Structure formats: C-alpha cells, structure tokens
Amino acid sequence: MQTIDEIVSLMSSNGLRVTDQRRTLAKLFFETDGYLSPKDVYEYMGRTYSGLSFDTVYRNLRVMEELGVLEQVMFEEGVKFKLHCREHDHHHHMICLGCGKTYPIKFCPMEQTDVPSDFKVLRHKFEVFGHCQSCAAEEGAQ
Amino acid sequence: MQTIDEIVSLMSSNGLRVTDQRRTLAKLFFETDGYLSPKDVYEYMGRTYSGLSFDTVYRNLRVMEELGVLEQVMFEEGVKFKLHCREHDHHHHMICLGCGKTYPIKFCPMEQTDVPSDFKVLRHKFEVFGHCQSCAAEEGAQ
DNA sequence: TTACCTGCAAAGTATTTGCATGCCC
DNA sequence: GGGCATGCAAATACTTTGCAGGTAA
C-alpha cells in the first residue's frame, strides 16, 4: 500500500508542484478505500478550499491518473476514481454499491475461460457488485 | 435470436407507433452483432433520413431499452447499445475492440468466486476485450 | 380523430480549455 | 524569477426536455 508521502514525492519527482490542494487530494484518496466521482472529490475538497473550482479538480484527477496514482473506472453513473492498486498480484474487485468500498478477489476467471484461438485477448474485466456488511444492514433497516 | 418482426410487434403491442425510423433502427441492431454508440446510430440513420435529429435517436434508443429490446453498456468512450441477448443461459461476452462484435462466453466466474458471507452479491460483470480474427489481421497489417 | 412521433430549439449536465494572477521551488 | 497551479469564464460534448406540427392506428 502506498503512503501519502510516496504519492507526494512521486508527484514532485515528475516535475509537478506539491500544492496544498494536491496534498489534500492525495490524503483523501489514501483514506478512502473506494471509488470517488469528480463531484464527490469536489465536495470534499470544497469543505477545505472555499474558492475551489471544478476544473482544478478535474485537472488534478487527470494528472494523478496519468501519473499512475489513480485509476479511472466507468460506472453507469459516470466516471469514478480510486487509488491505483499497488498489489503486485493480478486481482479483481468486489465493489459495494452503497459506500463504494472495494475488496480484492484473488481468483482470476481468465485462467479458466476458453478463448478461441483466433481471438486475441488484450484485457479483461471482472467485477462483483453488491453491498458490504454495513451497507446491507442499512438497506435492511430502511 | 430475435427477428425484426418480433421487435416491431413487441413495440406495437406496447402501445408504441411503428414508424419507418423505428423499423430501420430495429433492422440496424438486428444486423449488427456488436455495440453501437448513439453517434454510430445517428450516422447510420442519417444516411436514410436527411432531417434526422439526435434527440429522436436518443429517445428511440431509450424507448427500446426500456422495452428490453436493447441493452446499454458503459465503455471508457461512453454509452453503447446492442440487441438484448435472448439466450436463456446466463453468459458473458468477449468484445472486439476493433469492430465491437461480441461472442458469448458460457463460463461464469461467480460459481468459483469466494465471496465473504457478509458481502451480499447483487450483480457481476465479466468481459473479455481483444481483437477478433479479422480485426487482429488488420492491426497486424498496419 | 387522437395520441404518439418527430424536428427544432433550448436547457441541462459533464468535462475541457484559454487566460491572467498567484504561488511553489 | 520562472514556470507550473489555480480560479474564472467560456467553450465543447453529450443528453434531455418543451413545444408545435406531422403521422400511425
């Protein structure tokens, strides 16, 4: 797992300025083990930086994605970001639809998938969606 | 597999008018065994209907999706549509990144995925991306 | 005839870009 | 001090909605 300092020094070693906002952004993603939409990020950051503008959020999300710090995933509701997984083992995710938290799945289905010899596989996606314990409890309570 | 007439009568039995444009739309998706973006559809339809407007395309895509004729999937590049699979067996897809064609995968990874008892699974997604034979050949030729 | 369909225009929403000022290094 | 970062405003892209006239049933 990556620390905030590692993220920050990765930014500075790539010629990027380490601003307050970027440090906060790193902290936010470091402390969130789930997906965040640009809007989520804007709202969180907005609590600290009153004059914050959406375009800076987008710019920094993009910069951090290009740096490999964040990864971007498309959901039905739109784009979301999370810290790029540093685990070396290839893995997939269970994703909670309530809170967005993710949990790793070690098992990779590709090993057992019969692919015709004339189809050249480039990448694959395996995602399990549902509710984590606490979100399931909340659902039940409503 | 669904025929154009089946699609058309499904529309009419649901109180929808069977217009020329909708018939053409049904034909387009029937003949395309891959994903189409709203833009793809607009361009195809525009060849036949000169005054075509984008909003009608969107409206009809949405109507046909609500009817269960089409299914909608989010890609990195945006929303795309394809004929809803009529196969009764649960299955997944290999998707060609060149032409958008899809091929069924019978194997479902969920059977073999270890899910913690406190995570309540609602749905899952397994997609294999790559190039089909002819698109792989084209890639190689470039 | 009636209700739905269509095109047009405009409004929404999401995201990107140009520019002037400000701040990190 | 120099150059990247930021906020602002505006542009762009994508999608939806209201309305008036057209058309299937």
Side-chain angles (χ1 to χ4, degrees), chain A residues 96-109:
Chain A
C96 178
L97 293 168
C99 61
K101 276 189 190 163
T102 66
Y103 307 86
I105 298 173
K106 294 274 176 198
F107 168 63
C108 175

Side-chain angles (χ1 to χ4, degrees), chain A residues 81-134:
Chain A
F81 295 84
K82 76 184 275 295
L83 261 200
H84 191 283
C85 297
R86 289 289 142 178
E87 292 183 45
H88 287 301
D89 298 349
H90 171 71
H91 65 285
H92 297 277
H93 290 115
M94 289 184 285
I95 302 163
C96 178
L97 293 168
C99 61
K101 276 189 190 163
T102 66
Y103 307 86
I105 298 173
K106 294 274 176 198
F107 168 63
C108 175
M110 281 315 288
E111 300 157 9
Q112 296 178 44
T113 303
D114 247 352
V115 179
S117 59
D118 57 4
F119 192 90
K120 195 179 155 209
V121 175
L122 294 173
R123 51 197 175 81
H124 63 280
K125 183 183 261 191
F126 175 42
E127 287 163 346
V128 178
F129 298 93
H131 285 127
C132 69
Q133 186 166 33
S134 59

Side-chain angles (χ1 to χ4, degrees), chain B residues 17-18 55 58-59 62 79:
Chain B
R17 298 279 153 79
V18 179
D55 48 47
Y58 275 112
R59 269 189 286 235
R62 200 133 316 288
V79 184

Side-chain angles (χ1 to χ4, degrees), chain B residues 29 56 67:
Chain B
F29 277 102
T56 305
L67 236 139

Side-chain angles (χ1 to χ4, degrees), chain A:
Chain A
M1 181 57 88
Q2 206 157 210
T3 67
I4 300 181
D5 285 344
E6 276 167 7
I7 298 173
V8 165
S9 54
L10 182 62
M11 290 202 281
S12 97
S13 69
N14 277 64
L16 298 173
R17 297 281 152 77
V18 180
T19 62
D20 243 35
Q21 229 180 99
R22 283 179 176 166
R23 205 185 302 272
T24 306
L25 198 55
K27 187 161 165 285
L28 168 61
F29 277 101
F30 182 73
E31 289 171 351
T32 308
D33 44 16
Y35 290 91
L36 295 171
S37 67
K39 202 173 171 186
D40 293 335
V41 174
Y42 177 72
E43 279 164 8
Y44 176 90
M45 300 284 291
R47 290 206 280 275
T48 309
Y49 306 93
S50 58
L52 183 69
S53 65
F54 237 117
D55 48 47
T56 306
V57 170
Y58 275 112
R59 268 189 286 234
N60 282 331
L61 287 174
R62 201 134 314 289
V63 160
M64 289 174 77
E65 196 219 337
E66 277 157 19
L67 236 139
V69 174
L70 298 183
E71 61 188 65
Q72 175 184 327
V73 178
M74 285 300 277
F75 288 85
E76 310 292 312
E77 326 87 62
V79 183
K80 299 200 176 187
F81 295 84
K82 76 184 275 295
L83 261 200
H84 191 283
C85 297
R86 289 289 142 178
E87 292 183 45
H88 287 301
D89 298 349
H90 171 71
H91 65 285
H92 297 277
H93 290 115
M94 289 184 285
I95 302 163
C96 178
L97 293 168
C99 61
K101 276 189 190 163
T102 66
Y103 307 86
I105 298 173
K106 294 274 176 198
F107 168 63
C108 175
M110 281 315 288
E111 300 157 9
Q112 296 178 44
T113 303
D114 247 352
V115 179
S117 59
D118 57 4
F119 192 90
K120 195 179 155 209
V121 175
L122 294 173
R123 51 197 175 81
H124 63 280
K125 183 183 261 191
F126 175 42
E127 287 163 346
V128 178
F129 298 93
H131 285 127
C132 69
Q133 186 166 33
S134 59
C135 289
E138 255 178 61
E139 282 286 309
Q142 278 171 12

